[in-house]
Amino acid sequence: MVNFLILLCIVIALCGAGIVAKKVLKTEKYRKKYSAYQAPERAKNVSLNVDDASCDRELVQTVEVDEYEQQLFDDIAAIFFQKKYRIESQAEAEQLQADFLRKMPVCCKTQIRQLDLGEWSIYWTFYNQSLEYYLGRYGEFYTHVDRFGEEHKLEYKFQESAS
């Protein structure tokens, strides 16, 4: 009787292992079939040294960033430079910030600053890259630091009215 129970337990364990193996094979087949519709593999990575403000200054983290994400940030900045914006309210600034943040890489960070005299600044960062839109009383200023560390600036100065 004990032998029969041990044999029954072994058969049940083998059936369970077979079901699990079959499920794993089906999942792998599904992944191979639909992997063509996913983002490209992480073939080209760039290592960056990032200082974390919450850690000690001696502690430097190395972060791998995909090259296509860096290129995406630069492309979005180029598109941003081509358009001419004039923000008048907090709601417009938040809308502009959200529109461009949706297009940027996932790890991108942003902030809006409302300064004195009706001046605005929207700032996006992605590791060592940045994009800033500043609307002051004398004009609009665009600044972009690309993935190579080069700074690009664009200014639209307002015509001063005669008093």
Side-chain angles (χ1 to χ4, degrees):
M1 184 72 166
V2 173
N3 289 340
F4 177 72
L5 289 175
I6 292 174
L7 183 63
L8 186 61
C9 288
I10 292 173
V11 170
I12 291 173
L14 289 175
C15 288
I19 291 171
V20 169
K22 189 175 180 182
K23 182 68 173 173
V24 168
L25 291 174
K26 278 186 179 180
T27 304
E28 285 299 316
K29 186 177 178 181
Y30 179 81
R31 283 186 184 166
K32 286 180 183 177
K33 183 177 179 181
Y34 291 103
S35 65
Y37 303 111
Q38 295 177 357
E41 291 292 321
R42 304 181 117 211
K44 295 181 179 180
N45 291 330
V46 178
S47 294
L48 298 174
N49 290 333
V50 178
D51 290 329
D52 190 359
S54 64
C55 297
D56 295 329
R57 286 292 172 193
E58 294 112 22
L59 179 63
V60 176
Q61 297 176 342
T62 301
V63 178
E64 288 190 6
V65 181
D66 289 335
E67 187 176 339
Y68 74 90
E69 288 182 332
Q70 291 182 321
Q71 178 67 41
L72 175 65
F73 189 88
D74 288 343
D75 292 343
I76 300 289
I79 291 170
F80 191 80
F81 269 52
Q82 292 172 358
K83 303 195 184 230
K84 197 170 187 180
Y85 296 100
R86 182 80 190 254
I87 297 175
E88 300 294 334
S89 68
Q90 178 79 21
E92 288 178 12
E94 289 174 358
Q95 182 64 37
L96 180 66
Q97 177 191 33
D99 288 345
F100 277 90
L101 188 60
R102 268 187 238 113
K103 299 173 187 175
M104 292 184 176
V106 176
C107 295
C108 187
K109 297 177 184 170
T110 183
Q111 69 178 15
I112 295 178
R113 295 184 304 162
Q114 185 175 7
L115 305 168
D116 296 338
L117 305 172
E119 296 178 341
W120 294 90
S121 175
I122 305 174
Y123 188 72
W124 293 270
T125 59
F126 182 69
Y127 296 103
N128 293 342
Q129 296 170 267
S130 66
L131 173 64
E132 183 175 16
Y133 168 73
Y134 180 84
L135 178 66
R137 44 190 334 198
Y138 300 110
E140 296 175 291
F141 304 95
Y142 300 80
T143 306
H144 169 57
V145 176
D146 64 12
R147 65 185 181 274
F148 304 113
E150 297 175 16
E151 185 176 27
H152 307 278
K153 291 183 178 183
L154 185 63
E155 296 180 6
Y156 294 111
K157 295 193 178 188
F158 301 140
Q159 298 293 330
E160 293 195 30
S161 58
S163 301

